[in-house]
Amino acid sequence: MEQQIKRLLSTIVHPESGRNIIESGIVEHVDLQNNRITVTLHFDKARDPFALKIKHQIEEILSTELALDKEAITVIIKEAAPHVQQPAERHTQTGGIGKILAVASGKGGVGKSTVTANLALTLRNMGYRVGILDADIYGPSQPKMFGVEDYLPEAERIDGEECILPADAMGIKLMSIGFFIKPTDALIWRDAMATNALRQMIHQTKWGGLDFLLIDLPPGTGGVHLAVISELKITGAVIVSTPQQVAVADVRRGVEMFRAEKIEIPVVGIIENMAWFTPRELPQNRYYLFGHGGAREYAEKNDVPFLGEIPIIQSVMDGSEEGRPAVGTDPEVESRYRSIAEKIVENMTKSC
Ligand code: ADP
């Protein structure tokens, strides 16, 4: 089977060099396990413009020729640079974590959790080891986004320390407050239990070595933020916003919280979600339902990097409902997230 896969891959040619991807060494590794194929690609230059195209060709040819579901095929793209530094010194008994990225928003419902899930999957597709800590006590949605709502975290004793095992969500280590508290729990319990449960999740999860840990924070600024900030050394923060609410004080408050004295967490950038809507039957038209350009303007005025825009796309919503983030199924969403993730990696390496 491996030979057959390699033979199929050797029919794909890199448009620039004209050499096939096996012969030129772009295919670094092919892994076959339980009818799942993982192909790891290695490109010599950063941001090879043909990387995504080649990835889609591989998914296409393997799924057609081997009669496999596209979900059974994972293509990881590794690039020469920019790279995060080696996992830093920040060790707990649960293993080293390289960079910790908080994902925040001024308000609920702007797509913060959706962005977190898609960003995590994009970073994983770039070859990084990724974890998500879902700390959104008011609406922990990561388990649903990845279709692991029924996961019950187990504990394991390692070197005399009690560890909690995260869920494996498409190759991403996922720990969610949703595994511990249920939506039906009264709110008054939730706040009290949440801080405790979060503390445990932070220190006891067996992450097992990560390049990036993404934290899905609750919306706004509050007690959970302060708890997370004081328990973990966050490397940088991303703020998700829709165009219209940028004008209001929420986003500003978010930026100010991270930049406050003694907290001083670099704001890696702002992502504008739900930036416009394009109906399928009129692909050239963009309808700016929530206003236009507000996030970019805010970012420029306040010296915050602007990372990019994500339009309203049906596949994004479907992906959250079906437990498969859209980055894995929709090439347009994938390329938008790829560009945002590359900027985040670059900004974090530079400024954090
Ligand atoms: P938050 O975490 O900010 O509360 P969610 O990530 O839960 O927001 O998103 C709220 C709703 O909007 C979800 O139903 C989600 O599927 C949908 N959504 C988010 N971003 C997009 C998008 N770019 N296109 C279409 N639907 C989106």
Side-chain angles (χ1 to χ4, degrees):
M1 177 89 158
E2 198 175 323
Q3 283 315 315
Q4 191 186 359
I5 294 171
K6 286 197 172 149
R7 206 169 44 246
L8 289 169
L9 295 181
S10 70
T11 62
I12 299 173
V13 169
H14 189 289
E16 212 167 39
S17 71
R19 294 168 69 204
N20 85 55
I21 58 173
I22 292 281
E23 180 192 86
S24 59
I26 288 178
V27 175
E28 187 180 87
H29 189 64
V30 175
D31 188 50
L32 254 171
Q33 256 175 37
N34 310 328
N35 273 339
R36 297 186 64 85
I37 303 175
T38 306
V39 180
T40 308
L41 305 178
H42 185 275
F43 291 88
D44 281 340
K45 68 176 171 199
R47 303 188 190 182
D48 188 301
F50 298 105
L52 282 181
K53 182 180 157 94
I54 291 176
K55 175 179 188 287
H56 293 136
Q57 284 178 315
I58 294 175
E59 287 166 351
E60 202 57 51
I61 199 165
L62 293 185
S63 59
T64 322
E65 295 294 324
L66 304 174
L68 280 173
D69 211 41
K70 277 209 180 123
E71 275 173 60
I73 301 160
T74 306
V75 180
I76 291 175
I77 299 175
K78 291 198 321 196
E79 292 173 338
H83 256 306
V84 275
Q85 292 137 7
Q86 283 305 306
E89 296 309 304
R90 202 175 305 109
H91 275 270
T92 63
Q93 71 273 29
T94 50
I97 297 175
K99 306 255 179 198
I100 301 180
L101 180 67
V103 185
S105 67
K107 272 201 178 103
V110 300
K112 169 184 53 61
S113 303
T114 312
V115 168
T116 308
N118 281 291
L119 257 186
L121 198 55
T122 305
L123 289 165
R124 188 218 65 171
N125 286 345
M126 290 162 79
Y128 295 113
R129 299 166 302 165
V130 183
I132 298 177
L133 175 69
D134 180 7
D136 189 348
I137 58 167
Y138 303 110
S141 43
Q142 295 301 336
K144 182 164 169 35
M145 302 243 179
F146 284 96
V148 291
E149 300 104 303
D150 297 331
Y151 179 75
L152 292 171
E154 287 189 27
E156 197 179 87
R157 203 159 253 286
I158 300 173
D159 296 336
E161 302 274 358
E162 193 84 0
C163 289
I164 318 169
L165 304 183
D168 183 328
M170 305 174 94
I172 292 161
K173 302 276 172 65
L174 171 61
M175 186 48 79
S176 170
I177 190 81
F179 294 144
F180 301 92
I181 52 172
K182 296 296 160 211
T184 45
D185 289 336
L187 218 58
I188 188 160
W189 276 111
R190 262 205 247 180
D191 267 345
M193 281 161 60
T195 320
N196 251 337
L198 267 179
R199 194 167 294 133
Q200 267 194 306
M201 285 161 54
I202 288 170
H203 295 294
Q204 287 175 245
T205 300
K206 189 187 171 198
W207 298 110
L210 295 177
D211 296 312
F212 287 99
L213 175 64
L214 272 56
I215 305 180
D216 187 353
L217 287 171
T221 54
V224 171
H225 299 78
L226 295 179
V228 172
I229 287 168
S230 65
E231 296 285 333
L232 271 173
K233 193 158 175 5
I234 295 175
T235 331
V238 159
I239 297 181
V240 181
S241 162
T242 51
Q244 94 278 25
Q245 61 128 35
V246 178
V248 295
D250 304 308
V251 173
R252 189 179 306 279
R253 270 204 293 274
V255 172
E256 280 166 6
M257 171 180 70
F258 290 114
R259 287 183 168 172
E261 209 181 320
K262 298 215 176 83
I263 291 182
E264 286 156 13
I265 294 172
V267 178
V268 178
I270 293 185
I271 299 173
E272 191 173 87
N273 189 36
M274 310 195 195
W276 66 82
F277 171 68
T278 298
R280 210 167 272 157
E281 55 288 2
L282 292 169
Q284 303 308 322
N285 291 22
R286 288 183 177 188
Y287 296 95
Y288 295 95
L289 305 178
F290 300 133
H292 182 33
R296 193 185 284 273
E297 200 179 314
Y298 173 87
E300 274 163 15
K301 279 204 184 123
N302 292 277
D303 201 19
V304 184
F306 183 71
L307 298 170
E309 296 152 315
I310 311 281
I312 297 172
I313 304 181
Q314 180 73 33
S315 67
V316 171
M317 198 149 57
D318 295 346
S320 323
E321 290 298 314
E322 290 161 9
R324 275 184 305 154
V327 154
T329 51
D330 182 327
E332 187 198 337
V333 179
E334 181 176 25
S335 81
R336 287 190 177 276
Y337 271 101
R338 181 93 187 185
S339 140
I340 290 174
E342 280 168 353
K343 286 190 196 134
I344 290 177
V345 173
E346 198 176 306
N347 291 354
M348 282 184 107
T349 315
K350 246 184 353 215
S351 66
C352 305

